[in-house]
Amino acid sequence: MPIDCPRAPFHRNEPIPMNSSHHTALIPIDVQRGFDYPPWGPRNNPAMEHNGQRLLAAWRERSLPLIHVRHDSVHDGSPLQPTHPGHAFRDGFEPLDGETIVGKSVNAAFIGTDLDLRLRRLRIDTVVLFGISTDMCVSTTARIASNLGYRTVVVGDACCCFDLTDADGTVIAAEAISRAHLATLRAEFAEVIDTDALLARVGEF
């Protein structure tokens, strides 16, 4: 039987109201050690870890809904494969006892997992996303969350991504990739906000 969960339309570029009555969940995505191994190269935003830990602390202090997403790669040799040391969470991002972990094997945290069901059971209507990487798993999860009807917030300065090479062999800097993806999310799928502004809003709960 479908679980009824209130939904409100998202109007692009408008701040999403968040308070205790809106059932807001924080979802850290793939904050794992494996991104320090090859083939991942130079990244942007060295403040990602600090900002992400501030978000975790604020949610835990208020006992707000928190669901950790972890990438469980099915590809041999991947630094995110469960037998690799890179599968572990980064220091400061380990789930505490009783906190939920959702394991995924593709980019989107909603595909092949029970994340949507868990959120609906908690009557969540707003999700706050951060993690690794901006253009891959964070962006893909944000797009699907929006399409599923969740009010979606991406904390841009608590995400990071990596340099990529295009078909012509040109290296595109991680910062340029991040800016483009956050702009696309802001235009159509999510409110994009920084950590300080998000924490100020959470402080009003």
Side-chain angles (χ1 to χ4, degrees), residues 88-141:
F89 288 98
R90 287 165 119 71
D91 290 344
F93 291 92
E94 302 91 345
L96 301 182
D97 289 345
E99 293 180 351
T100 299
I101 303 172
V102 170
K104 64 178 180 60
S105 60
V106 294
N107 301 94
F110 290 97
I111 301 300
T113 75
D114 63 353
L115 178 59
D116 185 43
L117 180 60
R118 288 179 179 273
L119 293 172
R120 291 178 185 275
R121 283 176 170 167
L122 292 171
R123 297 187 62 78
I124 298 298
D125 65 15
T126 303
V127 294
V128 177
L129 312 179
F130 77 92
I132 309 174
S133 65
T134 315
D135 56 323
M136 301 290 186
C137 296
V138 175
S139 178
T140 308
T141 299

Side-chain angles (χ1 to χ4, degrees), residues 43-54:
R43 60 169 258 199
N44 74 324
N45 191 20
M48 183 275 290
E49 286 87 352
H50 174 67
N51 289 330
Q53 288 171 2
R54 292 171 64 203

